[in-house]
Amino acid sequence: MTPLRIAAVSAFALTALATGAFAESLTITPAPAMVVRTEGTFTVSPAIRIHVAKGDGEARGVAVQLADLIQRSRGFRPGVVEGPASGRAIVLTREGPAGEAYKLDIGPEGITIAAAKRAGLFYGAMSLWQLVTPDETKGPVALPAAAIEDAPRFAWRGLMVDSARHYQSLDTLKAVIDAMAAHKLNTFHWHLV
């Protein structure tokens, strides 16, 4: 193994250990900046509701997208409710970090996604959806309790599609954009000429 390769493997291992990826892996892509596992689990089931603040249209839009994704992957759709949470619920709140950063807290009594901006709420929802979809089975899923904090390392995270040299159908391009969103990429570069 070359010294450069050893350094790269060592850097990856240290990063994984710092985020707890080896000790208690959570299937989130890209790996979040910080993950702290805590005691307990929370079960996402058909009885769960997603709560947003009254009148927050952006948060409601993210909640509807999350509910749709859970329906596609787990076979049930959590209801979206405007107003304070009562009981076990998923709560989207604007009392979180700025920009595209988010905090995702999973505890035995509920889940909170906190971010100041819509982008942060969306990326937190994508991380939660990835955790809710560990396999292809349908129905309720138990999530391990954890405190997750993440922010993008780079402002521009993109993908280029070269339709000038290789034709892609509209359905293919839509699937590429959906995959970009799931992996928290924020810039679509479309090479047409």
Side-chain angles (χ1 to χ4, degrees), residues 47-136:
I48 296 300
R49 301 290 173 253
I50 303 173
H51 289 263
V52 298
K54 206 173 226 10
D56 189 345
E58 289 181 337
R60 182 172 176 73
V62 171
V64 168
Q65 286 178 309
L66 177 59
D68 290 343
L69 287 169
I70 291 172
Q71 181 177 20
R72 267 196 285 178
S73 60
R74 301 308 298 182
F76 61 87
R77 188 177 194 284
V80 176
V81 178
E82 286 190 24
S86 57
R88 298 165 48 85
I90 299 169
V91 177
L92 275 61
T93 179
R94 296 299 186 120
E95 298 171 5
E100 295 180 351
Y102 68 90
K103 288 183 180 180
L104 173 60
D105 291 315
I106 304 167
E109 297 305 313
I111 298 173
T112 302
I113 301 171
K117 302 272 186 182
R118 182 196 187 284
L121 287 176
F122 179 76
Y123 294 140
M126 289 299 97
S127 291
L128 178 59
W129 174 64
Q130 290 177 10
L131 292 173
V132 168
T133 314
D135 52 34
E136 294 184 18

Side-chain angles (χ1 to χ4, degrees), residues 165-187:
R165 289 180 182 80
H166 308 283
Y167 174 78
Q168 295 91 20
S169 69
L170 188 56
D171 289 337
T172 299
L173 292 172
K174 287 179 182 179
V176 166
I177 292 170
D178 285 345
M180 287 178 61
H183 292 92
K184 304 172 188 100
L185 300 178
N186 65 0
T187 304

